[in-house]
Amino acid sequence: MSSFDTYESGTEISRPIEIYRWAMGSSTWEYTSWAQNVTLDSVVYTATPIKRSRVGQGTDQKTRNTTITVPSENAFAAQYVNISPGQKATLTIIRLQPDEAPSFNTRVMIFKGTVQTVSYPRDGYTAEVVVRSIESAKNQSIPRVTYMGMCNHFLYDSDCGVDPSLFNIVGAVTAGGSTADITVAGANSKPDGYWTGGYVSPLSGPTDFRFIVKHVGNVLTLLLPFAVNVGSLNVQVYAGCDHIVTGHCATRFENVLEFGGFSFVPSRNPLSGL
């Protein structure tokens, strides 16, 4: 048996392979910087021109990024050419040694993070993807609950507790599939404004979603159009919420007990004078 450590530490026998796995929702893209495809656990990592900047190690773990450079026509990077996807993408980089026996028995994850920006320098021939490490993301100081009158929870998350399966419809996009105004059959089954503040997600094709900023009849106005044409696709539309305790929290969802705001706090500060 030839160990991974033996090859990894060898100055002449080491032939490291790196594999890159991008994930966004239920979609994944697998690549390798090696000269040929790599099959791992029945997944084929396609050989493609790809390089990365140095991944730092040490005391600055919480501030490190890496930049991945691929051809602009790369299937993952191409999603960011016109409109960025609604979902967050992650990257995992794993290092292998091809001469290890058993083959690829040791897999070392050298980096994992989330995509921050995608740019197209050099006249658009390449795409540069800046990825922020998960350690860096955890270093942010973000208040869990803000002292405000509106609900702090994300609609349908575990703190909100509302079951999204009870507040949605499925309908076909009959017009405007490539614009911010899409027509969805059946959206008019609810009064105008019912879907405002919710989101819409295709049931096939792109694994993405868009926030709904306006609803009138069968027409839904999205914050941004989908990156690909969703015309004729079936989509799932979820109801929105105004995050007010006496509003949709009570009248639409009957969920006042889980309200995450401070709506009954007096608006006048008694310590500031009359």
Side-chain angles (χ1 to χ4, degrees), residues 43 71-72 77 87 96 107 110 117 130 149 165 174 185 187 196 203 213 225 227 229-230 237 241 246 251 253 259 266:
V43 176
S72 57
Q87 300 190 67
L96 310 167
R107 306 161 191 185
I110 61 174
T117 62
V130 177
S165 67
T174 59
T196 300
L203 294 180
V213 297
N229 194 326
V230 295
V237 185
C241 181
T246 56
T251 62
F253 300 109
F259 182 72

Side-chain angles (χ1 to χ4, degrees), residues 84-143:
S84 297
Q87 300 190 67
K88 182 68 72 174
T90 62
L91 169 66
T92 303
I93 305 176
I94 295 177
R95 189 175 175 96
L96 310 167
Q97 283 288 347
D99 300 314
E100 180 188 23
S103 181
F104 302 146
N105 185 56
T106 305
R107 306 161 191 185
V108 177
M109 185 178 71
I110 61 174
F111 185 86
K112 185 168 185 176
T114 57
V115 173
Q116 299 300 297
T117 62
V118 180
S119 59
Y120 297 86
R122 301 175 188 146
D123 297 326
Y125 288 106
T126 61
E128 291 187 351
V129 186
V130 177
V131 186
R132 187 179 187 184
S133 71
I134 56 175
E135 299 97 337
S136 178
K138 291 179 179 179
N139 197 39
Q140 299 180 79
S141 297
I142 302 176

Side-chain angles (χ1 to χ4, degrees), residues 15 31 67 75 80 114 127 135 139 149 156 159 171 185 203 214-215 224 232 244 253 266-267:
R15 297 194 304 147
Y31 302 103
T67 300
Y80 294 82
T114 57
E135 299 97 337
N139 197 39
Y156 305 124
D159 293 317
L203 294 180
K214 185 179 180 181
H215 161 225
L224 291 170
S232 76
I244 297 174
F253 300 109
S267 59

Side-chain angles (χ1 to χ4, degrees), residues 193-262:
Y194 184 85
W195 308 112
T196 300
Y199 63 96
V200 56
S201 178
L203 294 180
S204 60
T207 56
D208 207 352
F209 67 92
R210 287 293 185 267
F211 183 74
I212 302 168
V213 297
K214 185 179 180 181
H215 161 225
V216 178
N218 279 335
V219 179
L220 305 177
T221 300
L222 310 180
L223 180 63
L224 291 170
F226 282 96
V228 299
N229 194 326
V230 295
S232 76
L233 294 182
N234 284 330
V235 296
Q236 199 153 18
V237 185
Y238 293 88
C241 181
D242 59 12
H243 292 262
I244 297 174
V245 67
T246 56
H248 295 156
C249 188
T251 62
R252 179 174 297 171
F253 300 109
E254 298 181 359
N255 198 44
V256 172
L257 291 179
E258 302 300 329
F259 182 72
F262 303 88

